[in-house]
Amino acid sequence: LVHWVRLAVDPERHFEFSADGELEIAEEFVRWEPPPGGGALRYLVRIDHLRDKATYDARLTRNWAIFRGDDLVPPARVDTVGVAESRATLSFKLPDGWSIAVPYEKIGPGRYRVHHPHRRFDRPTGWMALGKIGVTRERIAGSHIAIAGPVGQGLRRQDLLAMMRWTLPELRDVTGGLPSRILIVGAGDPMWRGGLSGPASLFLHADRPMITPDGTSPLLHELVHAVTRLRAGPGGDWIVEGVAELYSVELLARSKSMSRRRYAKVLRKLKQEGASVRNLETDRASGDVTARAVSELHELDETIREATDGQYSLDDLVARLTRERVPVTTEGLRAHAEATAGRDLGSFFAALPRDRGLAKQP
């Protein structure tokens, strides 16, 4: 059924390719033509990856490994006979005493079903933790939750679980649903001292607070990313980061983990932080751009509520964007916002700080 598979490889991480059938190896891709009866493609992956000069966003040690499935199997284009679909299984052969935490359904010892209904080619993605790890599991808001990290590294699994119990039902109400499984992995140094999201999963450094002194939540910020999977189109990163940051505070307030008085104070501080921003549509949203995005999205929420007499809100807009699964742009946000509000919102979007020389006027 498969004519060929073309993998977009990283030569620093994927190497020593061999296969049954025809194999073309170039610097940035590998093209494989399997024989008619099927075959196997084999290669090695270097797990360790430095995010900066001293910290890792993927790490393999003698006792544990933390990485993303995306690191193992790179993105691929597949040419098939007709409209074929893939069936994928992720299998591990590990040292004795090692455990596994992945965001997939277990179907046997060390075996997991990989299924992405929105893709023709199923490949493992999202964060994974293997080794001598502690794992806490529970079902919350209809989703199987797992929190995993190396033993002895101070990951506060019970605290993280409590935060998820308070806030996940609220996030489910915003997006209209949750992934069937959500995995949180964490570790201490030398892992990157921050948070990183993946499909239905996230990484959080063991030393990161669940709520920072400024009232936002690194955990919930990455959780919103992991659940909504919003992707930025040209100039759209302010929307992706703004939604994650705003709802990191919203979820705390709605779950009564934060008072409404403190919630208002947090929003005022973010408004002050972003006041000097003159262009939201940067390639990568900085801290002040994200702060300004929070203020603009909060105002958009109030605008939608006013236009619909409280029937609809930013929640409905975020749910639309989550379902659509296309890169988000300012123009796309406006189209969905106007569909949600039921009227023209040109005055709101005209007032957004945008570099008119770089951004197209909606």
Side-chain angles (χ1 to χ4, degrees), residues 138 140-141 145 147 156-171 184 202 204 208-212 215-223 247-258:
E138 193 158 323
I140 303 173
I145 309 302
I147 302 172
R156 299 180 296 277
R157 300 197 308 273
Q158 294 295 340
D159 293 357
L160 291 167
L161 186 65
M163 177 69 84
M164 298 284 277
R165 288 187 63 85
W166 298 331
T167 56
L168 261 186
E170 301 294 338
L171 182 56
I184 299 174
L202 64 94
L204 188 70
R208 289 292 288 161
M210 284 179 287
I211 305 174
T212 62
T216 60
S217 171
L219 168 65
L220 297 181
H221 182 106
E222 300 303 332
L223 182 63
Y247 278 94
S248 81
V249 184
E250 281 284 345
L251 296 176
L252 290 173
R254 295 183 190 188
S255 64
K256 296 183 171 55
S257 306
M258 172 187 288

mmCIF file of all heavy atoms in Angstrom, residues 138 140-141 145 147 156-171 184 202 204 208-212 215-223 247-258:
data_model
loop_
_atom_site.group_PDB
_atom_site.id
_atom_site.type_symbol
_atom_site.label_atom_id
_atom_site.label_comp_id
_atom_site.label_asym_id
_atom_site.label_seq_id
_atom_site.Cartn_x
_atom_site.Cartn_y
_atom_site.Cartn_z
ATOM 1 N N GLU A 138 -4.340 9.024 37.774
ATOM 2 C CA GLU A 138 -5.713 9.220 38.233
ATOM 3 C C GLU A 138 -6.578 9.633 37.046
ATOM 4 O O GLU A 138 -6.066 10.135 36.040
ATOM 5 C CB GLU A 138 -5.777 10.280 39.332
ATOM 6 C CG GLU A 138 -7.110 10.311 40.056
ATOM 7 C CD GLU A 138 -6.999 10.948 41.433
ATOM 8 O OE1 GLU A 138 -5.977 10.735 42.110
ATOM 9 O OE2 GLU A 138 -7.936 11.659 41.814
ATOM 10 N N ILE A 140 -9.364 12.192 35.788
ATOM 11 C CA ILE A 140 -9.911 13.500 36.135
ATOM 12 C C ILE A 140 -10.661 14.052 34.929
ATOM 13 O O ILE A 140 -10.128 14.070 33.813
ATOM 14 C CB ILE A 140 -8.798 14.491 36.547
ATOM 15 C CG1 ILE A 140 -7.976 13.935 37.713
ATOM 16 C CG2 ILE A 140 -9.396 15.846 36.915
ATOM 17 C CD1 ILE A 140 -6.762 14.784 38.055
ATOM 18 N N ALA A 141 -11.881 14.488 35.154
ATOM 19 C CA ALA A 141 -12.693 15.115 34.102
ATOM 20 C C ALA A 141 -12.769 14.240 32.854
ATOM 21 O O ALA A 141 -12.776 14.737 31.729
ATOM 22 C CB ALA A 141 -12.144 16.498 33.757
ATOM 23 N N ILE A 145 -4.981 10.738 33.621
ATOM 24 C CA ILE A 145 -3.877 11.641 33.932
ATOM 25 C C ILE A 145 -2.718 10.844 34.515
ATOM 26 O O ILE A 145 -2.913 9.997 35.393
ATOM 27 C CB ILE A 145 -4.310 12.722 34.940
ATOM 28 C CG1 ILE A 145 -5.592 13.418 34.472
ATOM 29 C CG2 ILE A 145 -3.182 13.717 35.165
ATOM 30 C CD1 ILE A 145 -5.483 14.069 33.119
ATOM 31 N N ILE A 147 1.373 11.553 35.972
ATOM 32 C CA ILE A 147 2.429 12.507 36.312
ATOM 33 C C ILE A 147 3.661 11.690 36.659
ATOM 34 O O ILE A 147 3.619 10.839 37.555
ATOM 35 C CB ILE A 147 2.011 13.411 37.479
ATOM 36 C CG1 ILE A 147 0.722 14.157 37.118
ATOM 37 C CG2 ILE A 147 3.121 14.397 37.818
ATOM 38 C CD1 ILE A 147 0.109 14.927 38.263
ATOM 39 N N ARG A 156 6.935 17.219 42.478
ATOM 40 C CA ARG A 156 5.832 17.174 43.442
ATOM 41 C C ARG A 156 4.576 16.627 42.753
ATOM 42 O O ARG A 156 3.663 17.372 42.393
ATOM 43 C CB ARG A 156 5.607 18.563 44.028
ATOM 44 C CG ARG A 156 6.833 19.099 44.767
ATOM 45 C CD ARG A 156 6.609 20.479 45.353
ATOM 46 N NE ARG A 156 6.388 21.487 44.331
ATOM 47 C CZ ARG A 156 7.366 22.103 43.666
ATOM 48 N NH1 ARG A 156 8.635 21.803 43.909
ATOM 49 N NH2 ARG A 156 7.086 23.017 42.756
ATOM 50 N N ARG A 157 4.552 15.321 42.612
ATOM 51 C CA ARG A 157 3.491 14.696 41.826
ATOM 52 C C ARG A 157 2.117 14.892 42.464
ATOM 53 O O ARG A 157 1.132 15.150 41.762
ATOM 54 C CB ARG A 157 3.781 13.204 41.631
ATOM 55 C CG ARG A 157 5.086 12.916 40.894
ATOM 56 C CD ARG A 157 5.149 11.499 40.356
ATOM 57 N NE ARG A 157 4.872 10.491 41.344
ATOM 58 C CZ ARG A 157 5.777 9.953 42.156
ATOM 59 N NH1 ARG A 157 7.035 10.378 42.106
ATOM 60 N NH2 ARG A 157 5.456 9.008 43.015
ATOM 61 N N GLN A 158 2.020 14.777 43.773
ATOM 62 C CA GLN A 158 0.720 14.928 44.426
ATOM 63 C C GLN A 158 0.221 16.373 44.332
ATOM 64 O O GLN A 158 -0.982 16.616 44.162
ATOM 65 C CB GLN A 158 0.807 14.485 45.889
ATOM 66 C CG GLN A 158 1.089 13.004 46.089
ATOM 67 C CD GLN A 158 -0.040 12.119 45.570
ATOM 68 O OE1 GLN A 158 -1.171 12.565 45.401
ATOM 69 N NE2 GLN A 158 0.269 10.854 45.315
ATOM 70 N N ASP A 159 1.121 17.333 44.447
ATOM 71 C CA ASP A 159 0.726 18.737 44.304
ATOM 72 C C ASP A 159 0.225 19.014 42.886
ATOM 73 O O ASP A 159 -0.790 19.699 42.686
ATOM 74 C CB ASP A 159 1.910 19.656 44.607
ATOM 75 C CG ASP A 159 2.340 19.599 46.065
ATOM 76 O OD1 ASP A 159 1.678 18.893 46.847
ATOM 77 O OD2 ASP A 159 3.339 20.248 46.411
ATOM 78 N N LEU A 160 0.951 18.492 41.902
ATOM 79 C CA LEU A 160 0.534 18.667 40.514
ATOM 80 C C LEU A 160 -0.821 18.015 40.269
ATOM 81 O O LEU A 160 -1.683 18.573 39.571
ATOM 82 C CB LEU A 160 1.585 18.072 39.575
ATOM 83 C CG LEU A 160 2.929 18.807 39.516
ATOM 84 C CD1 LEU A 160 3.970 17.945 38.818
ATOM 85 C CD2 LEU A 160 2.787 20.138 38.795
ATOM 86 N N LEU A 161 -1.012 16.851 40.855
ATOM 87 C CA LEU A 161 -2.284 16.151 40.687
ATOM 88 C C LEU A 161 -3.431 16.954 41.296
ATOM 89 O O LEU A 161 -4.515 17.056 40.710
ATOM 90 C CB LEU A 161 -2.203 14.770 41.337
ATOM 91 C CG LEU A 161 -3.415 13.856 41.135
ATOM 92 C CD1 LEU A 161 -3.570 13.499 39.668
ATOM 93 C CD2 LEU A 161 -3.271 12.592 41.978
ATOM 94 N N ALA A 162 -3.199 17.537 42.464
ATOM 95 C CA ALA A 162 -4.239 18.353 43.095
ATOM 96 C C ALA A 162 -4.603 19.545 42.217
ATOM 97 O O ALA A 162 -5.788 19.868 42.035
ATOM 98 C CB ALA A 162 -3.766 18.821 44.470
ATOM 99 N N MET A 163 -3.594 20.204 41.649
ATOM 100 C CA MET A 163 -3.865 21.331 40.760
ATOM 101 C C MET A 163 -4.683 20.894 39.550
ATOM 102 O O MET A 163 -5.604 21.597 39.109
ATOM 103 C CB MET A 163 -2.548 21.967 40.309
ATOM 104 C CG MET A 163 -2.708 23.106 39.321
ATOM 105 S SD MET A 163 -3.449 24.581 40.042
ATOM 106 C CE MET A 163 -1.987 25.345 40.743
ATOM 107 N N MET A 164 -4.368 19.726 39.020
ATOM 108 C CA MET A 164 -5.127 19.208 37.879
ATOM 109 C C MET A 164 -6.575 18.917 38.272
ATOM 110 O O MET A 164 -7.504 19.176 37.497
ATOM 111 C CB MET A 164 -4.458 17.941 37.347
ATOM 112 C CG MET A 164 -3.047 18.145 36.831
ATOM 113 S SD MET A 164 -2.994 18.926 35.216
ATOM 114 C CE MET A 164 -3.245 17.496 34.181
ATOM 115 N N ARG A 165 -6.791 18.399 39.465
ATOM 116 C CA ARG A 165 -8.155 18.101 39.914
ATOM 117 C C ARG A 165 -8.985 19.374 40.015
ATOM 118 O O ARG A 165 -10.180 19.377 39.713
ATOM 119 C CB ARG A 165 -8.136 17.380 41.262
ATOM 120 C CG ARG A 165 -7.651 15.943 41.202
ATOM 121 C CD ARG A 165 -7.834 15.246 42.548
ATOM 122 N NE ARG A 165 -9.250 15.171 42.890
ATOM 123 C CZ ARG A 165 -10.074 14.223 42.472
ATOM 124 N NH1 ARG A 165 -9.639 13.267 41.669
ATOM 125 N NH2 ARG A 165 -11.338 14.223 42.842
ATOM 126 N N TRP A 166 -8.365 20.465 40.428
ATOM 127 C CA TRP A 166 -9.097 21.721 40.560
ATOM 128 C C TRP A 166 -9.407 22.354 39.210
ATOM 129 O O TRP A 166 -10.473 22.948 39.032
ATOM 130 C CB TRP A 166 -8.279 22.720 41.394
ATOM 131 C CG TRP A 166 -8.015 22.276 42.798
ATOM 132 C CD1 TRP A 166 -8.792 21.456 43.566
ATOM 133 C CD2 TRP A 166 -6.877 22.608 43.596
ATOM 134 N NE1 TRP A 166 -8.206 21.254 44.793
ATOM 135 C CE2 TRP A 166 -7.029 21.950 44.842
ATOM 136 C CE3 TRP A 166 -5.740 23.392 43.388
ATOM 137 C CZ2 TRP A 166 -6.095 22.066 45.866
ATOM 138 C CZ3 TRP A 166 -4.811 23.506 44.406
ATOM 139 C CH2 TRP A 166 -4.986 22.855 45.630
ATOM 140 N N THR A 167 -8.482 22.265 38.280
ATOM 141 C CA THR A 167 -8.569 23.097 37.077
ATOM 142 C C THR A 167 -8.974 22.369 35.800
ATOM 143 O O THR A 167 -9.522 22.998 34.891
ATOM 144 C CB THR A 167 -7.214 23.786 36.829
ATOM 145 O OG1 THR A 167 -6.183 22.786 36.733
ATOM 146 C CG2 THR A 167 -6.879 24.747 37.966
ATOM 147 N N LEU A 168 -8.714 21.073 35.696
ATOM 148 C CA LEU A 168 -9.024 20.370 34.448
ATOM 149 C C LEU A 168 -10.508 20.417 34.082
ATOM 150 O O LEU A 168 -10.847 20.579 32.901
ATOM 151 C CB LEU A 168 -8.547 18.921 34.507
ATOM 152 C CG LEU A 168 -7.214 18.596 33.826
ATOM 153 C CD1 LEU A 168 -6.961 17.098 33.862
ATOM 154 C CD2 LEU A 168 -7.168 19.098 32.395
ATOM 155 N N PRO A 169 -11.427 20.255 35.047
ATOM 156 C CA PRO A 169 -12.842 20.370 34.660
ATOM 157 C C PRO A 169 -13.167 21.724 34.037
ATOM 158 O O PRO A 169 -13.988 21.806 33.109
ATOM 159 C CB PRO A 169 -13.583 20.164 35.988
ATOM 160 C CG PRO A 169 -12.650 19.333 36.816
ATOM 161 C CD PRO A 169 -11.285 19.842 36.460
ATOM 162 N N GLU A 170 -12.520 22.783 34.518
ATOM 163 C CA GLU A 170 -12.759 24.109 33.951
ATOM 164 C C GLU A 170 -12.208 24.200 32.527
ATOM 165 O O GLU A 170 -12.845 24.777 31.640
ATOM 166 C CB GLU A 170 -12.110 25.180 34.833
ATOM 167 C CG GLU A 170 -12.607 25.211 36.270
ATOM 168 C CD GLU A 170 -14.066 25.609 36.381
ATOM 169 O OE1 GLU A 170 -14.584 26.255 35.436
ATOM 170 O OE2 GLU A 170 -14.695 25.290 37.406
ATOM 171 N N LEU A 171 -11.036 23.626 32.300
ATOM 172 C CA LEU A 171 -10.459 23.647 30.955
ATOM 173 C C LEU A 171 -11.303 22.819 29.991
ATOM 174 O O LEU A 171 -11.489 23.202 28.832
ATOM 175 C CB LEU A 171 -9.018 23.132 30.993
ATOM 176 C CG LEU A 171 -8.260 23.124 29.663
ATOM 177 C CD1 LEU A 171 -8.246 24.505 29.018
ATOM 178 C CD2 LEU A 171 -6.834 22.616 29.859
ATOM 179 N N ILE A 184 2.082 14.480 32.286
ATOM 180 C CA ILE A 184 3.003 15.521 32.741
ATOM 181 C C ILE A 184 4.286 14.834 33.179
ATOM 182 O O ILE A 184 4.254 13.917 34.009
ATOM 183 C CB ILE A 184 2.419 16.323 33.917
ATOM 184 C CG1 ILE A 184 1.126 17.025 33.498
ATOM 185 C CG2 ILE A 184 3.433 17.343 34.430
ATOM 186 C CD1 ILE A 184 0.419 17.722 34.646
ATOM 187 N N LEU A 202 3.111 17.492 28.630
ATOM 188 C CA LEU A 202 3.970 18.645 28.864
ATOM 189 C C LEU A 202 5.114 18.256 29.782
ATOM 190 O O LEU A 202 5.040 17.272 30.527
ATOM 191 C CB LEU A 202 3.180 19.813 29.463
ATOM 192 C CG LEU A 202 2.550 19.633 30.845
ATOM 193 C CD1 LEU A 202 3.470 20.145 31.954
ATOM 194 C CD2 LEU A 202 1.216 20.370 30.920
ATOM 195 N N LEU A 204 7.632 19.939 32.797
ATOM 196 C CA LEU A 204 7.783 21.044 33.736
ATOM 197 C C LEU A 204 8.956 20.730 34.652
ATOM 198 O O LEU A 204 9.004 19.658 35.264
ATOM 199 C CB LEU A 204 6.511 21.232 34.566
ATOM 200 C CG LEU A 204 6.462 22.481 35.449
ATOM 201 C CD1 LEU A 204 6.332 23.737 34.585
ATOM 202 C CD2 LEU A 204 5.291 22.403 36.424
ATOM 203 N N ARG A 208 10.085 24.458 39.150
ATOM 204 C CA ARG A 208 9.177 25.528 38.745
ATOM 205 C C ARG A 208 7.950 25.543 39.652
ATOM 206 O O ARG A 208 7.350 24.500 39.935
ATOM 207 C CB ARG A 208 8.728 25.337 37.297
ATOM 208 C CG ARG A 208 9.811 25.595 36.282
ATOM 209 C CD ARG A 208 10.184 27.063 36.241
ATOM 210 N NE ARG A 208 9.133 27.874 35.623
ATOM 211 C CZ ARG A 208 9.014 29.185 35.777
ATOM 212 N NH1 ARG A 208 9.842 29.828 36.567
ATOM 213 N NH2 ARG A 208 8.056 29.843 35.164
ATOM 214 N N PRO A 209 7.538 26.726 40.120
ATOM 215 C CA PRO A 209 6.322 26.792 40.939
ATOM 216 C C PRO A 209 5.082 26.565 40.084
ATOM 217 O O PRO A 209 5.075 26.882 38.889
ATOM 218 C CB PRO A 209 6.354 28.224 41.486
ATOM 219 C CG PRO A 209 7.104 28.998 40.443
ATOM 220 C CD PRO A 209 8.150 28.050 39.904
ATOM 221 N N MET A 210 4.049 26.027 40.689
ATOM 222 C CA MET A 210 2.799 25.862 39.951
ATOM 223 C C MET A 210 2.097 27.199 39.742
ATOM 224 O O MET A 210 1.389 27.400 38.761
ATOM 225 C CB MET A 210 1.900 24.868 40.675
ATOM 226 C CG MET A 210 2.347 23.431 40.481
ATOM 227 S SD MET A 210 1.309 22.269 41.361
ATOM 228 C CE MET A 210 1.838 22.582 43.040
ATOM 229 N N ILE A 211 2.289 28.125 40.690
ATOM 230 C CA ILE A 211 1.789 29.494 40.560
ATOM 231 C C ILE A 211 2.944 30.420 40.904
ATOM 232 O O ILE A 211 3.552 30.299 41.968
ATOM 233 C CB ILE A 211 0.597 29.764 41.496
ATOM 234 C CG1 ILE A 211 -0.524 28.746 41.259
ATOM 235 C CG2 ILE A 211 0.072 31.185 41.294
ATOM 236 C CD1 ILE A 211 -1.677 28.869 42.237
ATOM 237 N N THR A 212 3.262 31.337 40.015
ATOM 238 C CA THR A 212 4.385 32.239 40.230
ATOM 239 C C THR A 212 3.950 33.431 41.088
ATOM 240 O O THR A 212 2.753 33.673 41.269
ATOM 241 C CB THR A 212 4.922 32.753 38.889
ATOM 242 O OG1 THR A 212 3.884 33.495 38.233
ATOM 243 C CG2 THR A 212 5.358 31.601 37.998
ATOM 244 N N GLY A 215 1.184 35.610 39.836
ATOM 245 C CA GLY A 215 -0.174 35.084 39.771
ATOM 246 C C GLY A 215 -0.486 34.237 38.562
ATOM 247 O O GLY A 215 -1.601 33.730 38.429
ATOM 248 N N THR A 216 0.476 34.066 37.652
ATOM 249 C CA THR A 216 0.255 33.177 36.514
ATOM 250 C C THR A 216 0.763 31.777 36.865
ATOM 251 O O THR A 216 1.429 31.581 37.872
ATOM 252 C CB THR A 216 0.959 33.701 35.257
ATOM 253 O OG1 THR A 216 2.373 33.786 35.505
ATOM 254 C CG2 THR A 216 0.434 35.078 34.878
ATOM 255 N N SER A 217 0.457 30.807 36.014
ATOM 256 C CA SER A 217 0.814 29.424 36.306
ATOM 257 C C SER A 217 1.553 28.792 35.133
ATOM 258 O O SER A 217 0.954 28.562 34.078
ATOM 259 C CB SER A 217 -0.443 28.603 36.612
ATOM 260 O OG SER A 217 -0.136 27.218 36.697
ATOM 261 N N PRO A 218 2.850 28.497 35.283
ATOM 262 C CA PRO A 218 3.572 27.793 34.214
ATOM 263 C C PRO A 218 2.937 26.448 33.871
ATOM 264 O O PRO A 218 2.879 26.065 32.704
ATOM 265 C CB PRO A 218 4.979 27.614 34.800
ATOM 266 C CG PRO A 218 5.112 28.692 35.821
ATOM 267 C CD PRO A 218 3.746 28.867 36.400
ATOM 268 N N LEU A 219 2.453 25.738 34.888
ATOM 269 C CA LEU A 219 1.802 24.450 34.651
ATOM 270 C C LEU A 219 0.570 24.619 33.774
ATOM 271 O O LEU A 219 0.412 23.931 32.753
ATOM 272 C CB LEU A 219 1.412 23.807 35.982
ATOM 273 C CG LEU A 219 0.468 22.600 35.888
ATOM 274 C CD1 LEU A 219 1.140 21.437 35.180
ATOM 275 C CD2 LEU A 219 -0.020 22.191 37.271
ATOM 276 N N LEU A 220 -0.312 25.537 34.149
ATOM 277 C CA LEU A 220 -1.557 25.700 33.401
ATOM 278 C C LEU A 220 -1.311 26.335 32.033
ATOM 279 O O LEU A 220 -2.032 26.035 31.073
ATOM 280 C CB LEU A 220 -2.549 26.524 34.212
ATOM 281 C CG LEU A 220 -2.982 25.887 35.539
ATOM 282 C CD1 LEU A 220 -3.991 26.769 36.251
ATOM 283 C CD2 LEU A 220 -3.551 24.488 35.317
ATOM 284 N N HIS A 221 -0.316 27.192 31.932
ATOM 285 C CA HIS A 221 0.047 27.766 30.632
ATOM 286 C C HIS A 221 0.379 26.646 29.645
ATOM 287 O O HIS A 221 -0.157 26.603 28.529
ATOM 288 C CB HIS A 221 1.240 28.705 30.811
ATOM 289 C CG HIS A 221 1.688 29.387 29.558
ATOM 290 N ND1 HIS A 221 1.456 30.719 29.303
ATOM 291 C CD2 HIS A 221 2.359 28.917 28.467
ATOM 292 C CE1 HIS A 221 1.958 31.044 28.123
ATOM 293 N NE2 HIS A 221 2.520 29.959 27.596
ATOM 294 N N GLU A 222 1.255 25.731 30.057
ATOM 295 C CA GLU A 222 1.634 24.637 29.164
ATOM 296 C C GLU A 222 0.481 23.651 28.973
ATOM 297 O O GLU A 222 0.343 23.050 27.902
ATOM 298 C CB GLU A 222 2.870 23.913 29.704
ATOM 299 C CG GLU A 222 4.104 24.785 29.843
ATOM 300 C CD GLU A 222 4.519 25.461 28.545
ATOM 301 O OE1 GLU A 222 4.238 24.906 27.454
ATOM 302 O OE2 GLU A 222 5.119 26.553 28.610
ATOM 303 N N LEU A 223 -0.350 23.486 29.985
ATOM 304 C CA LEU A 223 -1.499 22.590 29.857
ATOM 305 C C LEU A 223 -2.478 23.105 28.803
ATOM 306 O O LEU A 223 -3.017 22.323 28.007
ATOM 307 C CB LEU A 223 -2.199 22.442 31.209
ATOM 308 C CG LEU A 223 -3.395 21.492 31.254
ATOM 309 C CD1 LEU A 223 -2.969 20.065 30.929
ATOM 310 C CD2 LEU A 223 -4.058 21.548 32.624
ATOM 311 N N TYR A 247 -5.675 32.055 30.091
ATOM 312 C CA TYR A 247 -6.414 30.955 30.708
ATOM 313 C C TYR A 247 -5.651 30.309 31.856
ATOM 314 O O TYR A 247 -6.258 29.645 32.703
ATOM 315 C CB TYR A 247 -6.836 29.935 29.648
ATOM 316 C CG TYR A 247 -8.099 30.373 28.948
ATOM 317 C CD1 TYR A 247 -8.042 31.084 27.759
ATOM 318 C CD2 TYR A 247 -9.348 30.133 29.510
ATOM 319 C CE1 TYR A 247 -9.194 31.526 27.132
ATOM 320 C CE2 TYR A 247 -10.506 30.569 28.893
ATOM 321 C CZ TYR A 247 -10.427 31.267 27.708
ATOM 322 O OH TYR A 247 -11.580 31.719 27.096
ATOM 323 N N SER A 248 -4.345 30.517 31.930
ATOM 324 C CA SER A 248 -3.634 30.048 33.120
ATOM 325 C C SER A 248 -4.132 30.783 34.356
ATOM 326 O O SER A 248 -4.155 30.225 35.461
ATOM 327 C CB SER A 248 -2.119 30.238 32.953
ATOM 328 O OG SER A 248 -1.703 31.564 33.223
ATOM 329 N N VAL A 249 -4.557 32.029 34.170
ATOM 330 C CA VAL A 249 -5.120 32.809 35.276
ATOM 331 C C VAL A 249 -6.619 32.534 35.409
ATOM 332 O O VAL A 249 -7.147 32.387 36.514
ATOM 333 C CB VAL A 249 -4.861 34.315 35.056
ATOM 334 C CG1 VAL A 249 -5.358 35.117 36.256
ATOM 335 C CG2 VAL A 249 -3.382 34.581 34.823
ATOM 336 N N GLU A 250 -7.312 32.465 34.275
ATOM 337 C CA GLU A 250 -8.753 32.193 34.290
ATOM 338 C C GLU A 250 -9.074 30.889 35.010
ATOM 339 O O GLU A 250 -10.020 30.815 35.804
ATOM 340 C CB GLU A 250 -9.285 32.121 32.857
ATOM 341 C CG GLU A 250 -9.523 33.451 32.191
ATOM 342 C CD GLU A 250 -10.790 34.135 32.673
ATOM 343 O OE1 GLU A 250 -11.631 33.461 33.302
ATOM 344 O OE2 GLU A 250 -10.938 35.335 32.428
ATOM 345 N N LEU A 251 -8.304 29.845 34.725
ATOM 346 C CA LEU A 251 -8.584 28.545 35.336
ATOM 347 C C LEU A 251 -8.396 28.595 36.847
ATOM 348 O O LEU A 251 -9.140 27.945 37.594
ATOM 349 C CB LEU A 251 -7.687 27.472 34.719
ATOM 350 C CG LEU A 251 -7.901 27.192 33.228
ATOM 351 C CD1 LEU A 251 -6.877 26.192 32.726
ATOM 352 C CD2 LEU A 251 -9.313 26.687 32.959
ATOM 353 N N LEU A 252 -7.413 29.358 37.300
ATOM 354 C CA LEU A 252 -7.224 29.512 38.742
ATOM 355 C C LEU A 252 -8.424 30.214 39.370
ATOM 356 O O LEU A 252 -8.906 29.813 40.438
ATOM 357 C CB LEU A 252 -5.947 30.305 39.023
ATOM 358 C CG LEU A 252 -4.622 29.608 38.716
ATOM 359 C CD1 LEU A 252 -3.459 30.580 38.882
ATOM 360 C CD2 LEU A 252 -4.430 28.395 39.621
ATOM 361 N N ALA A 253 -8.914 31.251 38.707
ATOM 362 C CA ALA A 253 -10.049 31.998 39.257
ATOM 363 C C ALA A 253 -11.332 31.177 39.207
ATOM 364 O O ALA A 253 -12.096 31.133 40.180
ATOM 365 C CB ALA A 253 -10.216 33.312 38.494
ATOM 366 N N ARG A 254 -11.580 30.514 38.102
ATOM 367 C CA ARG A 254 -12.828 29.762 37.958
ATOM 368 C C ARG A 254 -12.885 28.559 38.891
ATOM 369 O O ARG A 254 -13.963 28.148 39.323
ATOM 370 C CB ARG A 254 -12.997 29.302 36.510
ATOM 371 C CG ARG A 254 -13.165 30.456 35.533
ATOM 372 C CD ARG A 254 -13.403 29.960 34.124
ATOM 373 N NE ARG A 254 -13.338 31.058 33.164
ATOM 374 C CZ ARG A 254 -13.647 30.943 31.882
ATOM 375 N NH1 ARG A 254 -14.035 29.763 31.405
ATOM 376 N NH2 ARG A 254 -13.559 31.987 31.074
ATOM 377 N N SER A 255 -11.729 27.985 39.191
ATOM 378 C CA SER A 255 -11.692 26.840 40.109
ATOM 379 C C SER A 255 -11.625 27.280 41.570
ATOM 380 O O SER A 255 -11.515 26.438 42.461
ATOM 381 C CB SER A 255 -10.480 25.963 39.787
ATOM 382 O OG SER A 255 -9.267 26.665 40.019
ATOM 383 N N LYS A 256 -11.669 28.607 41.783
ATOM 384 C CA LYS A 256 -11.584 29.186 43.129
ATOM 385 C C LYS A 256 -10.238 28.914 43.792
ATOM 386 O O LYS A 256 -10.114 28.941 45.016
ATOM 387 C CB LYS A 256 -12.740 28.699 44.012
ATOM 388 C CG LYS A 256 -14.107 29.149 43.509
ATOM 389 C CD LYS A 256 -15.225 28.706 44.431
ATOM 390 C CE LYS A 256 -16.554 29.343 44.032
ATOM 391 N NZ LYS A 256 -16.926 29.111 42.637
ATOM 392 N N SER A 257 -9.223 28.643 42.971
ATOM 393 C CA SER A 257 -7.859 28.556 43.480
ATOM 394 C C SER A 257 -7.265 29.951 43.658
ATOM 395 O O SER A 257 -6.213 30.107 44.274
ATOM 396 C CB SER A 257 -6.980 27.754 42.511
ATOM 397 O OG SER A 257 -7.547 26.490 42.242
ATOM 398 N N MET A 258 -7.935 30.940 43.100
ATOM 399 C CA MET A 258 -7.540 32.344 43.210
ATOM 400 C C MET A 258 -8.807 33.178 43.357
ATOM 401 O O MET A 258 -9.811 32.903 42.692
ATOM 402 C CB MET A 258 -6.760 32.769 41.954
ATOM 403 C CG MET A 258 -6.459 34.250 41.849
ATOM 404 S SD MET A 258 -5.725 34.686 40.246
ATOM 405 C CE MET A 258 -4.087 33.970 40.427
#
